Amino acid sequence: MGILIVDDSPDQQLLLKTVLNKAGHQDLLIVDSAASAYDHLGIDQPQPNGQAPAIDLILMDFLMPGIDGVAATQRIKSLEHLRDIPVIVVTAKTALGDLQAAFSAGAMDFITKPVNSVELLARVNSALMLKKEMDCRKTRELELRRSNAELQQALREVKVLKGLVPICASCKKIRNDQGFWQQLEEYIQQHSEAEFSHGLCTPCIKKHYPGVYPD
């Protein structure tokens, strides 16, 4: 699963990369600013069909020149196709107001600096597990919506005979919606999925071919 590291410190980048690589997380993308993160996430140039990039977690530095981590998190979370990507803020600022600002912006968790490898991996694994569950849920919901759409389409295509059908008492023709008289089998074929194979019943055979059945 892909992890995007956003941090302007080369030392911090190296530390996070080393710890994550040793734990088996190889799919890492490292950038040094929020603007670069925007480029990779396709914020200023949206992805085709509005699809989210292959990023499953963002480790966001709190303090960066230009756009800080709180503003970057808020921007990312404002976009529907990126909203489900969990963001963990990495910060040396642990004041209650700073953490509240990060959570209000949409961060799901935070890691304090200097980074402890055990804490980092625990929070990263928890976030990735949550993302995987969310992806599975979205896939199931998509399949359910697709199945429901197919069912509704099938129901719309089903032809059903119902209501009062005018039929001639003599020749058994049916009067259609346009007021014309149709053969019974022709009308039924147009208004249902039924098909016909023609033959003669025993009474008709006796009537039209009296020599076939002896009395």
Side-chain angles (χ1 to χ4, degrees):
M1 302 182 77
I3 301 175
L4 173 62
I5 298 172
V6 188
D7 200 301
D8 66 315
S9 168
D11 291 339
Q12 188 71 19
Q13 291 176 5
L14 179 60
L15 173 62
L16 295 174
K17 178 182 178 181
T18 301
V19 173
L20 292 171
N21 280 165
K22 286 184 177 180
H25 301 288
Q26 303 298 324
D27 189 7
L28 305 179
L29 177 61
I30 302 174
V31 297
D32 60 3
S33 68
S36 295
Y38 290 172
D39 290 339
H40 286 286
L41 292 171
I43 289 180
D44 295 322
Q45 295 181 347
Q47 301 294 306
N49 301 321
Q51 294 180 348
I55 297 296
D56 300 291
L57 172 63
I58 300 174
L59 297 179
M60 180 73 71
D61 187 16
F62 191 95
L63 292 176
M64 293 183 292
I67 305 170
D68 64 26
V70 172
T73 299
Q74 191 171 27
R75 177 77 186 282
I76 291 168
K77 291 295 183 177
S78 70
L79 301 174
E80 184 176 356
H81 68 290
L82 301 176
R83 194 167 296 157
D84 289 339
I85 301 177
V87 177
I88 298 177
V89 171
V90 184
T91 178
K93 302 184 70 173
T94 57
L96 182 59
D98 295 324
L99 296 180
Q100 286 178 336
F103 288 131
S104 295
M108 66 160 293
D109 208 342
F110 71 95
I111 300 171
T112 56
K113 295 180 180 180
V115 173
N116 177 281
S117 60
V118 174
E119 179 188 13
L120 171 65
L121 293 176
R123 296 184 186 276
V124 164
N125 290 335
S126 177
L128 290 176
M129 184 179 300
L130 174 63
K131 179 61 163 55
K132 185 175 181 179
E133 291 175 355
M134 292 173 64
D135 289 345
C136 289
R137 174 181 56 79
K138 288 171 65 177
T139 299
R140 288 195 297 269
E141 290 177 351
L142 181 61
E143 291 174 349
L144 181 60
R145 287 197 297 269
R146 184 183 298 114
S147 297
N148 186 60
E150 292 174 352
L151 175 59
Q152 294 300 321
Q153 180 64 27
L155 290 174
R156 285 192 294 268
E157 293 175 354
V158 169
K159 298 178 180 180
V160 179
L161 281 174
K162 59 183 179 180
L164 182 65
V165 180
I167 186 169
C168 176
S170 176
C171 68
K172 306 305 180 184
K173 288 184 179 180
I174 292 178
R175 188 173 62 201
N176 61 27
D177 296 336
Q178 289 74 41
F180 298 104
W181 293 93
Q182 288 182 289
Q183 293 292 339
L184 175 64
E185 61 267 31
E186 180 183 357
Y187 183 86
I188 293 177
Q189 283 180 330
Q190 289 181 355
H191 292 79
S192 74
E193 300 299 326
E195 295 182 359
F196 293 90
S197 63
H198 290 83
L200 289 174
C201 65
T202 301
C204 287
I205 293 177
K206 289 182 178 182
K207 176 181 178 181
H208 296 287
Y209 304 97
V212 174
Y213 285 100
D215 294 331

